[in-house]
Amino acid sequence: MILQILNRTLRVAKALMTPSPANKDVRYEAMHNPSRYRGEHRVDYETCIGCDSCNKICPTHAITMKKFPFKKQNIVPEVSLSVCIFCGLCEDVCPTKPEKSIILSGGRYDMLSGGWHEDQNDFWVHTDVPQSYIDSRLEDEEATRVKKELATKKKVAEAEAKKKAEAGEEIKKVETTLPDFNKGVLE
Amino acid sequence: MLKILDFFDYAKSESLWMAHFCTGCCSLEMAAAMGPRYDWERYGYLPTPTPRQADVLMITGLVSKKILPALLRTYAQMPEPKYVVAMGACSFDGGPYNDSLSVIKNPTEILPADVFIAGCPPKPEAIIEGLEQVKQKIKNGEPSAASQGGLWKEMEF
Amino acid sequence: MIDTLFSAFVFPGLLYVLVWTVGLFWFFRKFMAALHKRVGPSFNGKAGSYQTLFDLSKLLTKESITPDGVNPYLFSIMPLLAVIIAMLPAAFIPWMDGLVVVDSDYGLLALVILIGIEPFLLFLTGFGSNNKYSFLGGVRILTQSISMETAFFLSALSPALLFGTMNLTQIVEQSSWFSFLILFPGLAMYFVALLGLLEQPPFNIPDAEQEIVYGFYTEYSGTNYFLLKLAEFAEFMAVFAGATALFLGAYKGIFFDSYFFFFMKMLGIAMLMMTIRAATPRITLAQMLSFSWKYMVPLALLNLAWVLFAKSLWFMGA
Amino acid sequence: MENVRKIIENFTCEYVENYKKTWLKAKLSSKDDLLNLSEAIKKEGLRSLSTVSPTDFLEDNIMEMNYFFEDLDTKRNLWLKVDLPRDKEGCKIESLTPLFASANWHEREAFSMFGVQFLNHPDLREIIKSEDFKGVYPFRKDFDWDAHEKNQTQNIQQIVDAFKKEQNENEKDLDPDSSETILNWGPTHPASGPIRLRVHCDGEEVISIDPDIGYVWRALEHLVTKKDFVGAIVAVERLCFMDNINSMVGYCMAVEEIAEVEITPFASWMRVLLGEVARVSSHFMGLGGFFNNMGLHTLGMWNMDTREFFLDFLESYSGARIATASIEPGGVRYGLDMSMFDELQKALDKFDNSVGEVEAVFVKNPTMKLRSDNVGILTKEEVHEFGLSGIVARASGVKTDIRIDEPYAAYGELDLEYITQEKGSAKDRFMMLFLDLKQSVEIIKKAKAHIEKAVADAKMNPTKDHMVKVPKKLPKGEAISRVEWARGEVLMHLVTEEKAKTPYRLKMRAPSFNHTMMLNHLLKGQTLADIPLIFGSLYICQGDLDR
């Protein structure tokens, strides 16, 4: 019995020979870096189509959709890191191809904030859309709107012209004016 | 004289002992952080069996209604100066259990923490980094958050 | 005068014991970590050597809580008394050739009594804590120390019996390889009893973390806890030094005599203790009691008989 | 099976039908027959009652009681239903606790969550839920959770008051002259975790133990009804993080059964592989915990070292170390990159290298044997009576293992054998855990080899085969699924409504609930030192205890 105990005791001492696996300073680097680590989100506002499906599937309601003044694809997800449980369902469900618009994989793991409830309240992955992008989107939209307007007007005019022509009246030129670009759009 | 006091302040910051108290699942990752691979003892952290000798209280995730009095009492039993670390989504608003009524939705409003570590559960690396931030806070001489406010002061427990 | 002050406060006195305590605390953590396949304290100072200094200084500056309903005098004086008692044995130990503060003819007796009285102080700390777990811890430590001390005293007496003196200096001077062999069963017995006395696994029943939280330590915080921890490690040192002086020939070395050998021998005992700690689970109080009274005490008595026999066989004639 | 059918047909039933291979499903017409019927089937051999699960049908105004009877020896199971009126006065039924000891806490749970009154129950107190739910039944469909939430401050005050009151009156009933006292073991006790054992003791001797549970009650069974079928996996996996995969497997099997979807062979093999990895990582903690409770942390640390490698694989596969959320209805969530198997191989190698040392030092440790060989003995009879499962049941020599009894995923293609121990002491449970760990690693090896071979033969496509589409809206239906979880049998009872997007009711029968029931039985008359040992050997996790 006593010999057995001594034997066990000495065998434990074998651990002294094995080097410890704690060989990195984990304050600065991770011990294991998987490619699919579900960490901090990255949202690509340019490819996002604003389908709202990430918001719908989120089991913890961590995602809110930020609204933009332009009309189409005008919502982009923002994630509250203090609510998110990093399950990655939003990434799974995102329909954009080939790159998903919301990505957790390979994200950062060290997400720290102040401990006050207020600090955690505004602990978000904000989708910072630059003003220039908003402006360009607005301009694009305006341009397409105008184009469409023009096209419809033209169509209407043509149709009318056709009618008139059929009726044997004189063809009048349709005057079109371009609307003021920057007015009344940003409201 | 000033130097000696500085030394004690530094010592305080470099030696964080935590109360052995787990309220939820994040304590599993805390155990991993104690384990051989992450080994937080390298940085001077040490678990203590009783709150009387602890400096840091870890809110390890979920705080259910039933355990709240025990949590606050554990906090009260710790000697000054004491700090609180909150980890996991649960300690902000119940996290995945937000829809459930048996958990406290605002643990950090009741007991403000000094640092919040996001994740469900956070990686051990993140836990250690969060504790490093507490160290930094002590080095800067900042008072702990819970001593400055929080609903716990108005509550009985 | 200066010599007295020096020996009281610096060399085998206060400072020396403090350095030993802090160092031993660090060594325990480091060695235990290695057995756990961990690293242990590592980033403060070289190999984390400042870590325990920081830990103990932090405890010194923390708030000391005196819980409701305890006797504050009993609660705060006991740790102080425990430290003083735990530091005193250092004065009786021959650290180097001719360096012993109190060269008494009853050195061994003083050593054994000072070590043996420590658990009773700890019992009083647990008794005075007004906490059920502390009280249980106190009762357990009393039970354990009563049963273990008998074996401890008996095995500590074997060198005195062999050399016919209780003067530690003389015991060390007379010791040799041959006497070490004769005293080896006594050493083994002393070591096992020592595990019980210091509440080390497998006999860490009084402060069994998983059973009664932290035993008598449960309510202590800040300075009081610092003093208790200090007392614990000072007692470690005293007991290791006692074992070294009694059985292992203290400073006597292979080619020359030096304090270095004393140090290494103490470390050796500490390492053996830690290895046992890493490999053996705790046993129950009942098992400990039956082990101590059924095996330890009879064996210790047998050991005394063996020493007497050996003495009459080889030493009387010489 | 035929005998059971005959017995049931003696009573008036709405239907009796075969369900799956080993189950018989029946519905009693009258609740008065329940006691006689259960007595008869107990004589026939179905000796353990797995769980009691009420389902609240608000529109039909009935409370449907589901009883799951099991026979651990001959693998015959009975699913018995009976209707009760759901109004609070009429919702009464005879208690089965006098017949089946395992019904005790399950009936208490049904009482506290649904308000079903059990007549002649010996100890019908509320369990699990916190003080503010006293007298109300939170799982009833007409319970207004929002109104309850409005009074949160008051509710907390109520809990605090009850906490204080209990503290003051803790030892009121005790004789002041005797040395009896009540120890509160937890919830902050180092060995307990969030559970409180009220230990009634006299010095070192334990007189009785009354576990107070519910400290991590998250109302998971109610929570899943607020999430959709896919989102519910995050709630189901949080049953307990130590082995989260197998609980998700159980839930997904129930969903697939209702949706009538067959998963691909690749997905079922992946479920086996991932499930066993999770089981291994859980067992490592269990083995360590057993020794931790005897004051020795070395094994826990060594195991943690090996466990990290298995977690690495899970992390590479799913992107999270323990909250993997990697099983979805319809298969497994991600395709497999074959290079991930290198990581798994690393973990297996690490295990093979270190298991010998662990076995030599700890499994054959004489002090451990001295300490735990004669403590906490559970006989075969008690296992049947209390409906225990998994490690604990097998340690007593009962051959029960859902992986073999009722093969799911790809377990049917593996040749598994029952591993059992004889005596049923704490040591045997530890041994059982260790042997089970070894078996799991063997299964991982086999599953890995099988997948590798099939991929090489182009029978499986690891990047595309992993999922089959499951419709978002499920038909009306009801299913049960059983899985062998790390701790024992998990039974999931899923009820869905027509075109539902969310589960209507999910009952999770978790093994720790039954095992905790045993604590008082095992610890009566033992000493304080045995509490952590037996607690650790029963392999209890508070997560699945409270749900």
Side-chain angles (χ1 to χ4, degrees), chain D residues 3-13 16 33 37 40:
Chain D
N3 298 347
V4 182
R5 188 181 263 272
K6 267 178 207 160
I7 292 171
I8 297 168
E9 278 165 355
N10 287 341
F11 298 87
T12 42
C13 289
V16 186
D33 291 340
L37 172 60

Side-chain angles (χ1 to χ4, degrees), chain D residues 209-235:
Chain D
I209 282 191
D210 181 16
D212 177 16
I213 65 173
Y215 285 92
V216 285
W217 180 48
R218 294 144 293 172
L220 282 181
E221 290 167 5
H222 188 268
L223 190 64
V224 288
T225 61
K226 294 190 174 180
K227 301 192 189 295
D228 52 24
F229 285 109
V230 176
I233 56 166
V234 302

